[in-house]
């Protein structure tokens, strides 16, 4: 039984992308027998191959599969999954699950990495932040991490890479799904369920998937006792996150399909403070909706049109205890939020001689309001045109190059033009040389342009876009070591940043001169015996400064190693992560820690319908800093989650 998608989507030009995805997901496929009796087998959608295609032309792609996501623990959010499994990506949640985090990919800052949900931008252009604190993993099929500057196809903020969160789709003609229930040692409770079915209607196959999740915890104390003032009464950081959503995929004849996605999240999130805190919360509602239509017109042309809306509404409350007794309400249900709209049109054409041309138009509109941080202009928009040529050179059949250009204009600020060259060369069947060179950009946010808080933060309407030149060069090897499967890769990277956007006192300015970020990332994995596997990765970042301006909160060195055993019914693993020196915006040196984690699972039946999973985070109960903040007297550490045990039961039907 097949989705009635066009034969052209199954044609040879899509095969490399599908093969790459299968290669990345092979550990999950090896873990359990795969039955196709009730499954829908379909080619990937035209739009969903955008990220994977770049790996065929020289960009480095990492994929986290569903099996890895499930082993990240019952309270795992996207941040936790990324922290555990992506080589070269530094991730640390500020105060545990469902909180803001610090991200660094190839020496980048937080907002140098673009976050996508099914290709839809989650970074907000008004405030520039990465907001993943209300995204559970219930409906996530895989996470794709595309490394290096990717401004050509994805626009502003794709300076050091792109993280694309891909949601699940229905595949079974029988009603199928799963139920998960979890507990942790900080009174955390989690539960989620997903159900799916493919039905036939007058238009073709219709795949339906729905899910709901609940995560709640009292949380842990994220500051040392000595770092909190005596007036703090709320010492823990709790959360309560409830999500429901659904996805529909309708085949329209043999050449088209329509995808609709919607997610609603309602979250109460504590904001921990080391001074005077009685009650500080963000009560948030976030709604994300997307619609994608795609069509293949014969063997040589396909296209898609996508539109989306990302609506984020938060009510902020902050109540302080006074030293002499009583309380002071600084904020009561004060609103801050934004709405992003977007529309994208992209086509892919096969030209004479086997060349391929990708071209498109990308449009974004933004609107925000903040009752706490005063911004004079609460609207912005950007519009872009881009094109990429992927030539086929018959004289060099093992060389797969591409070149492209993008022009983006933004209201209230200067636009930017970027270009990109990529190359993948098959030195042999097992060894590949890849590289990319080009430019990227980051447009100033509405906050940086229009904020009006005298004495604290003032916008600058004359800010220029931050520009960078990026170069990555890498080797990938797949082969055997002692007759066992082994793979490894190494990447050298360099980024030169001009017009760095930074605060000088209370004024947003473009920094003078050029800031250079360079480094090396290496990773490998080896399967020995039938059931054992070891993997490791390490990244070294070197960051320059000029006139006191530099890139902050980037680890100088970090590394991970994981050892695991798995057979048909059970598995166990242990992992260690090390973080070296980090420098805060205030010039404080922090980091310098190693954390040990463990996980295990056991199927309770031969049909793999019932499973118990255990996660042990921070086994040695290490006290370590995830960031720095002020308690009114001095800078103090945010603390990572202490030793935590999480148990989950899964029923699959």
């Amino acid at each position: 039984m097949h989705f009635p998608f066009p034969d052209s989507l199954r044609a040879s030009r899509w095969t490399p992308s599908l093969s790459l995805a299968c290669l990345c997901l092979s550990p999950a496929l090896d873990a359990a027998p795969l039955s196709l009796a009730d499954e829908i087998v379909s080619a990937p959608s035209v739009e969903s191959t955008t990220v994977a295609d770049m790996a065929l032309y020289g960009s480095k792609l990492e994929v986290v599969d569903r099996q890895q996501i499930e082993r990240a623990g019952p309270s795992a959010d996207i941040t936790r999954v990324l922290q555990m499994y992506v080589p070269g990506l530094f991730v640390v949640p500020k105060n545990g699950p469902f909180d803001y985090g610090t991200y660094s990919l190839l020496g980048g800052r937080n907002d140098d990495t673009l976050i996508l949900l099914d290709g839809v931008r989650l970074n907000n252009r008004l405030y520039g932040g990465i907001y993943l604190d209300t995204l559970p993993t219930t409906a996530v099929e895989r996470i794709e991490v595309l490394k290096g500057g990717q401004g050509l196809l994805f626009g502003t903020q794709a300076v050091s890479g792109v993280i694309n969160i891909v949601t699940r789709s229905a595949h079974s003609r029988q009603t199928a799904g799963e139920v998960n229930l979890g507990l942790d040692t900080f009174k955390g409770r989690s539960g989620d369920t997903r159900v799916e079915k493919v039905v036939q209607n007058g238009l073709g196959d219709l795949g339906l998937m729905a899910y709901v999740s609940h995560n709640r915890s009292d949380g842990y104390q994220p500051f040392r006792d000595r770092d909190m003032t005596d007036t703090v009464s709320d010492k823990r950081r709790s959360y309560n996150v409830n999500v429901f959503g659904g996805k529909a995929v309708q085949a329209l004849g043999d050449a088209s399909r329509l995808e609709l996605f919607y997610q609603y999240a309602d979250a109460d999130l504590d904001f921990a403070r080391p001074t005077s805190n009685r009650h500080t919360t963000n009560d948030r509602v976030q709604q994300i909706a997307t619609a994608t239509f795609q069509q293949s017109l014969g063997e040589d042309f396909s296209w898609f049109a996508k539109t989306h809306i990302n609506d984020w509404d938060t009510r902020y409350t902050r109540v302080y205890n006074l030293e002499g007794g009583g309380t002071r309400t600084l904020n009561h249900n004060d609103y801050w939020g934004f709405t992003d709209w977007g529309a994208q049109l992209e086509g892919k054409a096969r030209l004479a001689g086997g060349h391929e041309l990708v071209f498109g138009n990308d449009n974004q509109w933004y609107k925000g309001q903040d009752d706490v941080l005063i911004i004079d202009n609460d609207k912005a928009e950007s519009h872009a045109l881009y094109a990429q040529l992927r030539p086929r050179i018959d004289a060099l059949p093992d060389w797969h190059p591409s070149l492209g250009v993008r022009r983006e204009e933004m209201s209230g600020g200067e636009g930017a033009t970027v270009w990109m060259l990529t190359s993948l060369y098959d030195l042999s069947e097992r060894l590949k040389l890849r590289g990319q060179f080009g430019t990227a950009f980051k447009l100033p946010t509405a906050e940086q342009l229009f904020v009006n808080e005298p004495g604290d933060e003032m916008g600058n309407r004359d800010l220029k876009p931050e520009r960078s030149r990026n170069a990555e060069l890498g080797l990938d090897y797949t082969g055997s070591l002692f007759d066992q499967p082994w793979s490894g890769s190494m990447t050298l990277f360099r980024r030169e940043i001009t017009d760095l956007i930074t605060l000088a006192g209370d004024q947003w300015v473009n920094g003078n001169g050029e800031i250079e970020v360079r480094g090396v990332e290496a990773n490998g994995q080896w399967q020995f015996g039938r059931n054992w596997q070891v993997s490791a990765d390490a990244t070294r970042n070197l960051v320059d400064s000029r006139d006191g301006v530099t890139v902050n909160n980037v680890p100088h060195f970090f590394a991970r190693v994981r050892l695991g055993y798995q057979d048909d019914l059970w598995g166990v693993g242990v992992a260690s992560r090390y973080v070296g020196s980090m420098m805060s915006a205030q010039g404080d040196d922090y980091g310098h820690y190693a954390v040990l984690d463990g996980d295990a699972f056991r199927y309770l039946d031969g049909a793999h319908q019932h499973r118990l999973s255990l996660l042990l985070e921070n086994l040695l109960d290490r006290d370590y800093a995830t960031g720095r903040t002020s308690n009114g007297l001095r800078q103090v550490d945010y603390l990572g989650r202490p030793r935590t045990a999480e148990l989950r039961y899964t029923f699959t039907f």
Side-chain angles (χ1 to χ4, degrees), residues 87 477 486-489 521-526 533-538 560 562:
Y477 176 80
W486 180 83
S487 63
S489 70
E521 181 239 308
N523 68 83
Q525 58 180 357
W526 180 44
Q533 185 180 76
V534 62
S535 61
D537 68 272
R560 280 169 296 204
R562 174 180 173 82

Side-chain angles (χ1 to χ4, degrees), residues 5-296:
F5 292 129
D7 290 339
S8 59
L9 287 186
R10 302 188 189 100
S12 60
R13 77 176 185 270
W14 299 111
T15 303
S17 296
L18 186 58
S19 298
L20 175 65
C22 290
L23 176 63
C24 294
L25 299 178
S26 59
L29 297 179
D30 291 339
L34 181 62
S35 171
L36 298 180
D38 298 313
E39 296 295 308
I40 300 302
V41 182
S42 64
S45 65
V46 177
E47 179 266 339
S48 70
T49 63
T50 300
V51 172
D53 276 356
M54 289 303 298
L56 304 177
Y57 295 93
S59 295
K60 180 62 175 175
L61 176 68
E62 308 284 357
V63 178
V64 180
D65 62 39
R66 182 63 204 175
Q67 185 187 49
Q68 292 171 305
I69 292 170
E70 291 174 352
R71 294 186 70 169
S75 67
D77 57 358
I78 300 297
T79 299
R80 170 69 178 165
V81 174
L82 293 171
Q83 181 188 51
M84 290 181 66
Y85 293 119
V86 181
L89 175 64
F90 171 77
V91 180
V92 60
K94 180 165 64 73
N95 296 146
F98 301 100
D99 198 3
Y100 306 139
T102 298
Y103 297 75
S104 179
L105 180 60
L106 299 185
R109 296 155 292 176
N110 249 23
D111 55 357
D112 287 340
T113 300
L114 180 63
I115 307 291
L116 306 174
L117 179 67
D118 286 335
V120 172
R121 172 187 297 270
L122 293 184
N123 301 59
N124 180 254
R125 276 279 303 111
L126 285 177
Y127 306 104
I130 296 178
Y131 301 116
L132 295 179
D133 54 344
T134 52
L135 285 178
T137 60
T138 310
V140 178
E141 177 64 30
R142 67 183 185 275
I143 303 174
E144 304 168 330
V145 180
L146 192 63
K147 298 178 180 179
Q150 302 293 336
L152 173 65
L153 295 182
F154 301 101
T156 180
Q157 291 187 292
V159 174
S160 62
V162 172
I163 298 173
N164 186 35
I165 303 162
V166 181
T167 57
R168 305 175 82 168
S169 297
H171 293 288
S172 175
R173 290 194 183 277
Q174 306 298 321
T175 301
E178 66 181 23
V179 176
N180 292 284
L181 299 172
L183 298 169
D184 70 39
T185 49
F186 288 99
K187 300 181 180 179
R189 289 88 72 196
S190 65
D192 63 72
T193 186
R194 174 187 56 85
V195 63
E196 65 175 64
K197 187 174 185 179
V198 177
V199 298
Q200 184 81 26
N201 58 24
L203 299 174
D205 281 342
L206 171 63
L208 299 172
M209 186 271 293
Y211 61 93
V212 61
S213 74
H214 169 73
N215 289 270
R216 180 170 186 163
S217 176
D218 292 345
Y220 68 94
Q221 180 177 308
F223 303 104
R224 301 180 183 92
D225 288 337
R226 66 174 183 271
D227 291 335
M228 292 186 292
T229 63
D230 293 337
T231 50
V232 174
S233 57
D234 185 2
K235 297 184 178 183
R236 291 176 174 262
R237 192 261 169 186
S238 64
Y239 58 83
N240 184 2
V241 181
N242 301 285
V243 179
F244 70 84
K247 187 175 185 178
V249 181
Q250 174 70 66
L252 303 170
D254 291 335
S256 308
R257 78 191 222 175
L258 175 67
E259 295 187 10
L260 303 175
F261 172 81
Y262 174 76
Q263 177 174 286
Y264 179 95
D266 187 346
D268 296 331
L269 305 167
D270 273 6
F271 191 97
R273 296 182 180 277
T275 179
S276 304
N277 191 43
R278 180 180 181 86
H279 181 62
T280 302
T281 61
N282 283 297
D283 297 333
R284 180 169 303 143
V285 172
Q286 182 181 20
Q287 301 180 77
I288 302 173
T290 68
T292 305
F293 176 79
Q294 50 199 319
Q295 186 176 44
S296 180

